[in-house]
Amino acid sequence: MTRAIRVKNTEDIQQINKIVTKYSFDIWIHGKSGMVDAKSLLGMFLLSLNEPLSLVVEDDVDTKKLFKDLEEYLDFDED
């Protein structure tokens, strides 16, 4: 499952990393410059914040709580 995510500054990086480290499943952030493990603070600091980013989680994972925890950073499509 993929969702657009907004990461504007280093505070956002630290907060997102703090949230995702609570979860046992893999969480990735993809951008044009590559992908990083969202649980890796160092990896997160390698992100280019000037490009569109996507949060990626395996399709078979229940993401309801994760998306609730990250709601201020996620963009949801209106259906």
Side-chain angles (χ1 to χ4, degrees), residues 34-57:
M35 77 174 179
V36 299
D37 181 347
K39 294 179 183 180
S40 167
L41 189 56
L42 180 59
M44 293 278 290
F45 277 110
L46 295 175
L47 291 171
S48 174
L49 303 183
N50 298 324
E51 65 184 47
L53 299 172
S54 298
L55 182 83
V56 179
V57 182

Side-chain angles (χ1 to χ4, degrees), residues 44-79:
M44 293 278 290
F45 277 110
L46 295 175
L47 291 171
S48 174
L49 303 183
N50 298 324
E51 65 184 47
L53 299 172
S54 298
L55 182 83
V56 179
V57 182
E58 294 290 329
D59 287 335
D60 62 347
V61 173
D62 181 5
T63 56
K64 186 183 283 187
K65 182 163 175 19
L66 172 65
F67 289 169
K68 174 86 171 121
D69 289 347
L70 291 172
E71 68 185 340
E72 70 181 280
Y73 304 103
L74 298 178
D75 289 326
F76 289 96
D77 294 336
E78 298 290 330
D79 291 329

Side-chain angles (χ1 to χ4, degrees), residues 1-63:
M1 178 169 294
T2 303
R3 290 282 185 259
I5 187 165
R6 294 178 307 277
V7 184
K8 298 178 211 154
N9 53 44
T10 58
E11 291 82 20
D12 286 355
I13 288 172
Q14 292 171 332
Q15 188 59 31
I16 291 167
N17 177 262
K18 184 177 177 181
I19 292 168
V20 300
T21 55
K22 297 185 226 176
Y23 292 89
S24 60
F25 49 86
D26 291 336
I27 303 169
W28 299 90
I29 296 186
H30 289 220
K32 290 180 182 176
S33 58
M35 77 174 179
V36 299
D37 181 347
K39 294 179 183 180
S40 167
L41 189 56
L42 180 59
M44 293 278 290
F45 277 110
L46 295 175
L47 291 171
S48 174
L49 303 183
N50 298 324
E51 65 184 47
L53 299 172
S54 298
L55 182 83
V56 179
V57 182
E58 294 290 329
D59 287 335
D60 62 347
V61 173
D62 181 5
T63 56

